[in-house]
Amino acid sequence: MGKGGGCVPSKKRQPAAALDGSATAEKNAPIPAEEKIEASAEVVEPASPSSVESKLKIFIVFYSMYGHVESLAKRMKKGVDDIEGVEGVLYRVAETLPPDVLDKMHAPPKDTAIPLISAAEMVEADGILFGFPTRYGCMAAQMKAFFDSTGQLWREQKLSGKPAGFFVSTGSQGGGQETTAWTAITQLTHHGMLFVPIGYTFGAGMFEMDEIRGGSPYGAGVFAGDGTRQASEAELALAEYQGKYMASVVKKLVQT
């Protein structure tokens, strides 16, 4: 244009007012999400591992009319508890005889501090030791009734692969220290359980002839006689050993 025409504002150049508005908009613009997170993020400390480790559980499930099997069971728990990482848990099976019959048989009261076990609870065990007195070379009816209640577990094979052992009480030396345990193996077989006898791992104690002593390669045992004889220290020592032995076997199986 001519000299008197003045200057035409450039289309590319923003007016001053527009620049001021743009600067204000920039100041008031929202902070991007990632910047907000970075500015307000807190350091979260990792959770410390639990100091309480769960122990393997050996259930000691027994029936005892006069207390002989119970004395073995309690000593057996001591043996289990001596193995690090393993815990023995005592359970009773239900009595099937009515109170008046038990009174006539002069049976002492049951230790109610030891809970009754249901069949379903056995699934929680890592290993099981079953104790019972003999009845004509077989387990007592009370223990058989308990095994008879495990039909659903058998159907679903819930106990398959669980280690198990036996300990017994008999009235005399020829009363079934071996056959009572031997005839009970059928129960384990149908459940697919693993029978764990002690064999002769107790060492020289298995061969001592200085005193009358219950027990066999099948497991610990006690001679009750007419009911007045109590378990000897030798019989209790074998029970304690069986507890340790079973706990060690279960621990090895879990670690492999």
Side-chain angles (χ1 to χ4, degrees):
M1 295 184 64
K3 291 181 181 180
C7 296
V8 178
S10 171
K11 292 181 180 181
K12 294 181 181 180
R13 186 176 178 180
Q14 297 295 327
L19 288 174
D20 291 341
S22 175
T24 303
E26 283 186 19
K27 289 180 181 178
N28 297 331
I31 301 173
E34 60 270 19
E35 292 183 17
K36 282 184 177 180
I37 294 171
E38 184 177 350
S40 60
E42 296 181 2
V43 178
V44 179
E45 295 292 337
S48 57
S50 175
S51 58
V52 180
E53 295 182 4
S54 59
K55 292 185 176 182
L56 298 172
K57 295 188 182 299
I58 306 294
F59 284 9
I60 303 171
V61 181
F62 68 92
Y63 172 75
S64 187
M65 179 173 284
Y66 294 105
H68 298 86
V69 175
E70 183 176 331
S71 65
L72 295 183
K74 289 179 176 178
R75 189 67 173 264
M76 200 166 284
K77 172 177 165 52
K78 181 179 183 301
V80 172
D81 292 344
D82 282 346
I83 301 301
E84 185 180 357
V86 189
E87 177 185 10
V89 185
L90 294 171
Y91 284 107
R92 294 181 293 120
V93 302
E95 179 61 79
T96 59
L97 294 175
D100 60 325
V101 173
L102 292 172
D103 288 341
K104 291 176 181 178
M105 298 176 70
H106 306 289
K110 301 291 190 293
D111 184 355
T112 55
I114 301 175
L116 290 171
I117 190 171
S118 66
E121 288 176 290
M122 289 205 295
V123 177
E124 303 169 8
D126 297 292
I128 307 174
L129 288 162
F130 297 100
F132 37 82
T134 189
R135 297 292 184 267
Y136 304 111
C138 299
M139 67 174 64
Q142 289 86 345
M143 182 60 75
K144 184 60 170 64
F146 175 73
F147 271 108
D148 288 349
S149 74
T150 63
Q152 189 61 35
L153 297 180
W154 161 78
R155 182 182 179 86
E156 299 176 5
Q157 287 294 285
K158 292 288 190 179
L159 302 180
S160 178
K162 287 189 186 294
F166 301 123
F167 56 104
V168 303
S169 170
T170 67
S172 63
Q173 296 181 64
Q177 285 284 313
E178 292 194 356
T179 58
T180 305
W182 177 61
T183 53
I185 293 175
T186 57
Q187 312 297 314
L188 306 186
T189 301
H190 284 265
H191 277 287
M193 302 178 80
L194 309 177
F195 177 48
V196 182
I198 59 174
Y200 285 88
T201 58
F202 191 51
M206 297 292 289
F207 299 94
E208 290 180 0
M209 302 289 289
D210 297 338
E211 61 176 306
I212 294 176
R213 174 189 57 79
S216 73
Y218 290 88
V222 56
F223 291 133
D226 62 0
T228 59
R229 181 184 183 274
Q230 299 302 311
S232 67
E233 180 54 36
E235 291 167 332
L236 293 172
L238 183 57
E240 182 176 342
Y241 171 77
Q242 186 174 2
K244 289 181 180 179
Y245 184 76
M246 174 60 87
S248 299
V249 169
V250 169
K251 194 172 181 179
K252 286 179 182 178
L253 289 173
V254 170
Q255 291 175 345
T256 55

